[in-house]
Amino acid sequence: GTPALVMVEADDAAVGGGARILKASNATTGVSVGWMHIQGAFMEFKVDGGAGGEFRMTARHSNGNSSARNLSVYVNGTKVQQLRLANTGGWNRFIERTSVNLNLKPGQNVVRIQRDANDRPSADIDRLSFVRTSAATTVAPAPLTAPVPAPLTAVAPVPAPVLAPVPVPAPV
């Protein structure tokens, strides 16, 4: 069956581009992913999309900046949107209210949060949760039909060729 809720924690993330797993006492497992202010920094998770469909992704994050920030969201290598991360009043004060809708394919998906050039960084991410909002829509294949053979047309019989006798030379 398709999971209704999938949660991925910061300590399950693959990080790169300068992002780091940091200790954060108020994070759910005691760590978060930070240093997302560096262009190209990312955190990446494998997410089971079950049978596929639309999911609501919610980020539990902290943002000690004076205003909201944003980071880019990628699904299976394609940028799908920006994630707005509200100010939380401190770098160890986490909230879980930032959400976006994502379409996940059946089975395993790769979700990446990344700092792109046009993002306004940064925030620390504790975990992401994915809740199914609709099932995958599938297009029914067109019914298969057997090819209809072309009608046969009568062909007039071709008479056998008449061969003229070949003269045999007389012996000398």
Side-chain angles (χ1 to χ4, degrees), residues 44-70:
E44 192 171 88
F45 297 93
K46 292 179 180 167
V47 179
D48 180 5
E54 187 173 280
F55 285 75
R56 185 102 175 132
M57 182 188 82
T58 302
R60 185 170 192 270
H61 74 280
S62 68
N63 174 0
N65 293 300
S66 60
S67 61
R69 305 300 176 164
N70 58 39

Side-chain angles (χ1 to χ4, degrees), residues 1 5 9 15 35 44-46 48 50 53 66 89 91 102-103 129 135 137 139 147 157 167-168:
L5 172 67
E9 298 286 344
V15 296
W35 287 71
E44 192 171 88
F45 297 93
K46 292 179 180 167
D48 180 5
S66 60
W91 289 107
L102 303 175
N103 285 309
S129 59
T137 55
V139 177
V168 176

Side-chain angles (χ1 to χ4, degrees), residues 8-27:
V8 288
E9 298 286 344
D11 46 352
D12 295 326
V15 296
R20 299 179 190 171
I21 295 182
L22 307 170
K23 289 185 179 188
S25 61
N26 291 331

Side-chain angles (χ1 to χ4, degrees), residues 70-88:
N70 58 39
L71 295 168
S72 295
V73 179
Y74 290 76
V75 176
N76 300 318
T78 301
K79 182 176 179 175
V80 293
Q81 59 187 301
Q82 284 184 316
L83 178 64
R84 185 177 186 280
L85 302 159
N87 168 282
T88 63

Side-chain angles (χ1 to χ4, degrees), residues 1-2 16 18 44 51 63 66 68 76 85 92-93 95 100 104 114 123 134 136 148 162-163 168:
T2 298
E44 192 171 88
N63 174 0
S66 60
N76 300 318
L85 302 159
N92 199 27
R93 184 164 181 233
I95 62 171
V100 294
L104 300 180
Q114 178 174 298
S134 70
V148 178
V162 178
L163 298 176
V168 176

